[in-house]
Amino acid sequence: MDLGTLIGLFGGLTLVGGAMMLAGPIMAFVDAQSAMIVLGGAVFTTLMKYPLDGFLNGISSIKLVFSSTIEDPKEVIDQLVSMAETARKNSILALEKVQIDEPFMQKAIKMLVDGVEPDVIEDIMAAEMEAMEQRHGDARGVYESLAEASPGFGMIGTVIGLIVMMGSLDNPDSVGPAMAVALITTLYGNMFTNLFFAPFSAKLKYLSKKEMLNKEIVMSGIGSIVKGENPRLIRSKLEGFLAPKLRGGEES
Amino acid sequence: MDLGTLIGLFGGLTLVGGAMMLAGPIMAFVDAQSAMIVLGGAVFTTLMKYPLDGFLNGISSIKLVFSSTIEDPKEVIDQLVSMAETARKNSILALEKVQIDEPFMQKAIKMLVDGVEPDVIEDIMAAEMEAMEQRHGDARGVYESLAEASPGFGMIGTVIGLIVMMGSLDNPDSVGPAMAVALITTLYGNMFTNLFFAPFSAKLKYLSKKEMLNKEIVMSGIGSIVKGENPRLIRSKLEGFLAPKLRGGEES
Amino acid sequence: MDLGTLIGLFGGLTLVGGAMMLAGPIMAFVDAQSAMIVLGGAVFTTLMKYPLDGFLNGISSIKLVFSSTIEDPKEVIDQLVSMAETARKNSILALEKVQIDEPFMQKAIKMLVDGVEPDVIEDIMAAEMEAMEQRHGDARGVYESLAEASPGFGMIGTVIGLIVMMGSLDNPDSVGPAMAVALITTLYGNMFTNLFFAPFSAKLKYLSKKEMLNKEIVMSGIGSIVKGENPRLIRSKLEGFLAPKLRGGEES
Amino acid sequence: MDLGTLIGLFGGLTLVGGAMMLAGPIMAFVDAQSAMIVLGGAVFTTLMKYPLDGFLNGISSIKLVFSSTIEDPKEVIDQLVSMAETARKNSILALEKVQIDEPFMQKAIKMLVDGVEPDVIEDIMAAEMEAMEQRHGDARGVYESLAEASPGFGMIGTVIGLIVMMGSLDNPDSVGPAMAVALITTLYGNMFTNLFFAPFSAKLKYLSKKEMLNKEIVMSGIGSIVKGENPRLIRSKLEGFLAPKLRGGEES
Amino acid sequence: MDLGTLIGLFGGLTLVGGAMMLAGPIMAFVDAQSAMIVLGGAVFTTLMKYPLDGFLNGISSIKLVFSSTIEDPKEVIDQLVSMAETARKNSILALEKVQIDEPFMQKAIKMLVDGVEPDVIEDIMAAEMEAMEQRHGDARGVYESLAEASPGFGMIGTVIGLIVMMGSLDNPDSVGPAMAVALITTLYGNMFTNLFFAPFSAKLKYLSKKEMLNKEIVMSGIGSIVKGENPRLIRSKLEGFLAPKLRGGEES
């Protein structure tokens, strides 16, 4: 579980909910029809931008927002360095028996053992990373679209309310409440974007960058193993991808 | 037919229409002149940005939005792998008799069989992809321009209405209805963009990216066939362009 | 003459003019001082961003908006293929007598005949294209600046009007008309941008892209002529820059 | 300590505080609940975009804003030139005894002395710079997110206030004060962004660029030392990274 | 002196001043405190983004806005072609006695004469150009920050005024004047940006691009001199950087 995201979500909801309760009766801010216009509008406009399965795939990436499964880059480095030692002591073929869980590294090592040319392996890995990045962008794009469309439909709802209100100005008592209701879609549009959709897509982007970093470490490490570089040098090289305080002391 | 886009379009229209009917008499939101200002303004300003045939070409790309004809990348990969097997068993010349429907792949294979140098083929394919991407951008640009201009003309219509209304404040009874009418162009501007033009251009961009991905797969596959790579390796390489769950099990 | 742009311009003007006439007396929307603030402000702020001749050069590119002189890429290809045939039948020196109007192609062929090294020619052409692109950007930038500044000065005019109006609220009869006048600059700012400046700069960008495409075709074609490639292959290669429906049938 | 940032912060606070005191009773602008909505909302939405430690890491980079520790590039150059002289007079191995504090330069020199291939060193340094740039972007992203979210929550607070006010228009005396309170969140949202978050993230970006420049100087200098270039040439080369007035006179 | 910028500045000031005088008493638009909030706020927020000397350095680039000292690229070309002729007739060493004022060209020629390797010279010049571009961006960034922050502080001032006004609605006579004063900061924020800061930063960007173009011409020319290319070809090559109408007739 990802503490930051959970704290942020519940903290934000509590804060806005609390602000409403302090400002007036909470029911003044609850309107199912307004929620439907904003949420439904944002969902439908996003649905138009994707084929159905692309949309559902994007929506389902919400689970990553709350429990990312990105491997710790330090462990990736440890595994690569250990493989570099194995390859040096015995031979690259000895890597065949190493237990690897991460499919990207597994595929690379398998090609290495199979005797595929190093630059072919590099091409294949680079293409795979690029395609992955594009897929991540597509998935994240669903939440980006929802974040962008919500305030738009909030405004559509408010203008609809204003038009009706303006058409019945002869009843002054109804102006205030009508305006209040009209403003609720604007409130919802901003809330949905700021509390849900924008942070979701930002988190997905952050996770994608972390996963790309891991894959870059793998690519760099595999390249070093192929060249038979010194494991200590490989560790020093790969730890360059980490923040200084995360690096080990082996290099001194 | 593309289910997501159809559901999105009809859902969005139903939702906004329903919101109007619940808010007041639907006729309060219908105004042909307002629709003409917003739609006409957006169309005319977009017409200025393109030569006439470029505009019409962009408009006509709407048919792709609803029924894209992008080939499944898995089939592209299957065909390439099968050609790689043919080329390995017999020779590259044997590809001459293979039935290929997709013009891009067809052209590449024809050059291959004709003995054109591999890197000339690659240059030609890359230039063709780049030119295609630019053409897609031009077509999509028509809907992007409509999406951008609609709220602008919505605002122009509203300001025109406000100016007239301000000039006749001495008749207070007319203020409300005049304001209501003035706001309709703002409503239309936002609706047209959010329900039609913005999702259309986003969908066209999505389709273009998918088509580019297919072409990248073709380019990568042709490059591998030329080098006479192992068909199993080619499949593994090309499946790197797909999401993990779409990949076959052949590589294990 | 460019039909799309002309229809767009007159259509847009008629539409907005018609909307004004239907809304109220057309004179309610005519105010020379407001036009001067918006247009003058946009022009002066743009003048500051360029030296005087750069500004005038940008302004004068308006003539391209209405009558572009971009050559049809099909003709460019035909000429290149015909030169490739000449060069193959006789020799590259035979190109000296070919009549070429387009200066860019002319310069390249002249260097070719003079025996300049192919990669020097390529460098020279690439640098020339890059410099041309930057010049186009400068020219177009004048209309981009006008499009950006117009709504800004529209708002400045409206705020000036509002400040005066607020200072004389004691005369309620003047509020409406004062407000109406104040809003005219906002209207003008949006109109000038949407009907003139934004489409002008977008059209210039479109034309620039088309011209660049022609120059890329020339560069690619010259490169092929130098290498003595087969004219049929050259045609097939260069037609890759065109939309499929514009391609000839020679390649089948 | 960084004078510009300190003057800016205290000047800005004094200015806005002074404007409030001149405009009315300062207490009219103080509202803890409003501050909580804006600041809390911005913090919570930012928390969602990062894992907890990434958020805290970003927040803690505030100390760099006020006391950056970026080394003077002139000193970096002096040290590199002095090492180039040592390496030329004795040998590259003589660099082992040079005292280096900056970890990036230290690591590069260590590899140099250890006999690592020059282009491997370059790859390692380039990867380290790229990873550092991404980490800086993540840290700065926290303040960018706060700067973006603050006005959003300012608006949410204001709309909540407006909805309550609209619901009780029957008490006209309460309209003004209610509206005043509603506007305070809008004020805070703009103040927090303009006085704190936006300048913080801009300063962090500035510092990151300066640090990258230093590292580029190191990379370029190490490359020259490897090639055994003339120390005077190295100085001239590295001073090209500096503004002309910061360059020494050695090169004349 | 740069005529465009001067005309723009005085024209814009006259225009807006004239609009104010026609609209009402000019003193209605003069408010020292409002100017202080907007200008002071923009300055202080910009100060925070830079160290003090970086801020002052950016501010002082205003002198370039009004009297740029960018050399005419035609003269740069003439000098390079004349040096190419000298180098061809005698030898590259003969360039030692050529009088060169521009430091960038001077440094390159000095290295050439000193026998530095051509690709080392190219690397040094490219790094110097990149560093120069970054410094220009930093200087221009000060005015970009002022342009961005001014409307923000304009809005802060207006909201402060509105809050005070809302708190004293019981005195209806004061509403209009209070609102008028509140709006002045909005007016100033937009004026400062549109009349000063945005055009200043745009002009600095334009000048930077022109200077970069000159430096690219120098780089390309030095490269040609090293290779001992024909001076007529060099002229033709370098004139490719110019607009067609600025090119000489030597090439025909």
Side-chain angles (χ1 to χ4, degrees), chain B residues 41 45 48 107 128 135 138, chain C residues 194 209-210 236 242 247:
Chain B
T45 206
M48 291 181 74
K107 183 171 179 178
E128 194 153 339
R135 280 197 312 276
D138 283 345
Chain C
N194 279 294
K209 281 195 296 181
K210 293 302 144 193
S236 166
L242 304 182
R247 294 174 195 173

Side-chain angles (χ1 to χ4, degrees), chain C residues 115-192:
Chain C
V116 178
E117 291 294 314
D119 51 331
V120 172
I121 298 183
E122 202 183 313
D123 281 0
I124 293 181
M125 294 172 85
E128 194 153 339
M129 281 175 69
E130 207 188 301
M132 191 190 77
E133 200 165 26
Q134 192 180 318
R135 282 198 310 277
H136 285 185
D138 283 345
R140 176 171 77 236
V142 168
Y143 285 107
E144 278 169 7
S145 166
L146 291 171
E148 213 181 313
S150 290
F153 280 91
M155 193 184 160
I156 287 176
T158 296
V159 176
I160 289 178
L162 285 179
I163 289 173
V164 172
M165 186 195 84
M166 289 293 167
S168 56
L169 279 186
D170 36 325
N171 179 4
D173 283 355
S174 75
V175 167
M179 184 80 193
V181 171
L183 280 173
I184 288 180
T185 53
T186 290
L187 178 64
Y188 284 3
N190 279 281
M191 273 173 59
F192 293 163

